Amino acid sequence: ASTLGAQAAQSGRYFGTAVAAGRLGDGAYTAILDREFNSVTPENEMKWDTTEPSRGQFNFGPADQIVNRATARGQRVRGHTLVWHSQLPGWVSSIRDADTLRSVMNNHITSVMNRYKGRIHSWDVVNEAFADGGSGQHRPSVFQNLLGDGFIEQAFRAARSADPAPKLCYNDYNIENWSDAKTQGVYRMVRDFKARGVPIDCVGFQSHFGTGGPPASFQTTLSNFAALGVDVQITELDIAQASPTAYANTVRACMNVARCKGITVWGIRDSDSWRSGENPLLFDRGGNKKPAYNATLSAL
Ligand code: XIL
């Protein structure tokens, strides 16, 4: 096939991109979006500071724009994200009482998931809960500090009750290298969840890589997680300077793992990227295909 989405579909996978509502009026942007991609992730529009800026007051306008547009075109949607320490409104981070936070968290998960019921293929239920470095433990956050280690399990249980259909993912960065303590911490959590019947269906590997691309162990990491009985997805791929080899290695790691169900790049053109200074994406500022695009298409 001649596009990323169509080629990925030949093996039953999706190929997606992050989308920003503010760019949907740019015809050059939407032309590439609709030609190449069959899944979209709202880049910021489903985050807590946008969807519930004050307690119980939901704002779904920006996410609706993306979801309605994608659904009308037959593009699938990844939900990102329900529980995260970042882009979290001040009214949540200043809660001091566990019972209040638990009900606020459950209400947020339920309300956002209900809004998009039937239209999301995978939800990032919890994002970036593990600490960097060698601890292998959760990072501090209002959720961790008030609810303890159990907050992740509670979030997944609330998500399954809200909507049994979408795949429920744990999503994080720097968990691509098998031997890293952070990877091992997430692996132990997923193994424990599966052993105890906590509802988790997938792990998202953000895959924000440096110039060298993925660690040599990336495919091993994907297959070891898959062996626990979860799907794996590459959810936010970008690679500093977009070396074609680095992109091809990333795509191959996914293609070689049956339970790797799809790849999402974190933006369309370099000018759309949160790392735009590093030119990490598949299309240049003029919307032209870069060498990394051809390498990616060939590896799919
Ligand atoms: C980034 C967005 O791309 C930026 O526009 C925003 O300013 C900050 O967040 N991990 C994630 C994503 O899970 O939500 C982040 O997206 C990038 C890192």
Side-chain angles (χ1 to χ4, degrees), residues 43-44 47 80 84 87 127-128 171 206 208 236 266 274:
E43 185 173 1
N44 290 298
K47 294 173 182 174
H80 176 77
W84 188 26
Q87 293 178 272
N127 195 35
E128 301 183 353
N171 192 57
Q206 290 185 10
H208 296 295
E236 304 182 13
W266 206 240
W274 72 313

Side-chain angles (χ1 to χ4, degrees), residues 57 78 159:
Q57 303 290 306
R78 287 194 92 257

Side-chain angles (χ1 to χ4, degrees), residues 30-242:
T30 55
I32 303 171
L33 170 60
D34 295 339
R35 185 186 74 221
E36 297 288 343
F37 299 99
N38 54 15
S39 175
V40 304
T41 306
E43 185 173 1
N44 290 298
E45 292 77 357
M46 286 180 167
K47 294 173 182 174
W48 199 318
D49 58 355
T50 297
T51 53
E52 195 183 5
S54 53
R55 186 171 176 179
Q57 303 290 306
F58 287 89
N59 166 31
F60 292 123
D64 282 357
Q65 262 190 277
I66 294 175
V67 175
N68 292 342
R69 187 183 187 287
T71 305
R73 287 165 175 75
Q75 295 160 336
R76 306 169 72 204
V77 183
R78 287 194 92 257
H80 176 77
T81 180
L82 296 167
V83 178
W84 188 26
H85 65 277
S86 187
Q87 293 178 272
L88 185 67
W91 70 267
V92 181
S93 33
S94 43
I95 292 172
R96 291 290 173 264
D97 162 69
D99 289 334
T100 302
L101 183 62
R102 196 174 298 113
S103 85
V104 157
M105 183 180 83
N106 289 342
N107 182 58
H108 183 77
I109 291 169
T110 304
S111 301
V112 178
M113 288 187 74
N114 275 336
R115 175 73 173 197
Y116 298 108
K117 217 172 206 158
R119 296 190 287 168
I120 305 291
H121 68 81
S122 309
W123 262 112
D124 291 332
V125 178
V126 176
N127 195 35
E128 301 183 353
F130 277 73
D132 296 318
S135 77
Q137 303 296 312
H138 298 174
R139 73 169 71 234
S141 70
V142 71
F143 303 106
Q144 178 68 27
N145 300 349
L146 266 60
L147 305 179
D149 282 343
F151 90 87
I152 302 180
E153 169 172 355
Q154 289 161 24
F156 276 86
R157 291 192 187 279
R160 187 70 102 217
S161 316
D163 184 353
K167 302 280 190 191
L168 304 182
C169 302
Y170 176 78
N171 192 57
D172 213 330
Y173 66 92
N174 283 356
I175 57 167
E176 294 87 9
N177 186 27
W178 176 244
S179 61
D180 285 357
K182 190 172 175 182
T183 308
Q184 292 298 309
V186 175
Y187 181 81
R188 282 193 295 271
M189 176 190 75
V190 174
R191 192 175 56 190
D192 170 61
F193 279 14
K194 295 301 287 185
R196 293 190 297 111
V198 180
I200 185 168
D201 306 307
C202 38
V203 175
F205 297 80
Q206 290 185 10
S207 307
H208 296 295
F209 293 135
T211 51
S217 63
F218 189 33
Q219 185 180 313
T220 298
T221 302
L222 294 176
S223 59
N224 286 348
F225 273 89
L228 294 175
V230 290
D231 289 342
V232 294
Q233 305 180 19
I234 295 175
T235 53
E236 304 182 13
L237 177 62
D238 50 20
I239 305 178
Q241 310 311 333

